[in-house]
Amino acid sequence: MAGVLLSEAEKTFILHGVQNDLRNDGRSKQDYRPIELEMDIVTHANGSARVRLANTDILVGVKTEIDVPKSDQPNQGKIEFFVDCSANATPEFEGKGGEDLATEISNFLRSSFASPLSFDLKTLCILKGVQCWILYVDILILECGGNLFDAVSLAVKAALHNTMVPNVETVAMDGGNVDLQLSGDPYDCWRLDITNIPCLVTLTKIGEHLIVDPTAEEEECSMASLVLAVTENGRINSICKTSVGSLHPQTLSDALKVGAEVGVGLNKALKEALAREEKRLQADKPERFGFLK
């Protein structure tokens, strides 16, 4: 993560605040900062969303294209994640400074979506072994104010919820060639099922305590963080440890319990926010979203 310069006195102040369950901004250990959500803001994408988590700003666009299924997964579609850390987000990202972080985030998203219990790629299959949809999920980190993993996952889930996949009217085989006929109506689309897509929850250890949604300053005070991919029913389907420190087995056990509880609440809050944003879109863009119920 992007580092900030803190004196030993500032680190001690943050540590004591966490011990007393009163962080610098007034939150308790398990509280998130304010989250803002917008959808359908990239004109030429099939789906898009922007999430602002305090000073962390993430923009995600989803593009759908027709591709050939993998030989070992002939009845499944594909999903690819690409992360770009803007040099304007933080000085740490200048040059190639953000490449390692971008790779870490994209790899963890890929592992979180690997299970069919999270996202069923079979729904993206058009013709088994021949044609399928591929989703290109482009993630741009516009500003970095701590807790990138959680903010990215919220933006990705919202963008996939906003994604419209064109309907295929006919599939014709001409020898070895495939002729697909997409609907001529640009609004004749279907929606992805995001019900089981997990949200990422970052638990950062400061002293002997675990906190959620760490700020950049709090990340600087921590030696180890655990990122959990949690579904709306509390199932944890992927875990990643960041930073160089270690975690005691009891701390790990506590983190899993806290992370599952926080993840359920985060998924619920996102679901409610998506419903509110969708109502706004129905009012502002009835030609595109008027069919939604």
Side-chain angles (χ1 to χ4, degrees), residues 244-256:
V244 296
S246 59
L247 293 171
H248 188 275
Q250 184 58 49
T251 302
L252 177 59
S253 177
D254 294 341
L256 295 176

Side-chain angles (χ1 to χ4, degrees), residues 38-41 276-290:
E38 290 180 271
M39 290 195 303
D40 203 56
I41 57 177
R276 290 194 299 269
E277 181 66 4
E278 199 158 85
K279 287 183 179 179
R280 183 189 69 80
L281 290 174
Q282 289 179 32
D284 293 348
K285 303 178 181 180
E287 73 285 353
R288 176 169 165 84
F289 295 96

Side-chain angles (χ1 to χ4, degrees), residues 19 33 94 108 138 169 198 200 236 255:
Q19 289 176 345
R33 293 168 290 176
E94 292 181 359
F108 189 58
D138 294 309
E169 289 188 337
L200 303 187
I236 298 174

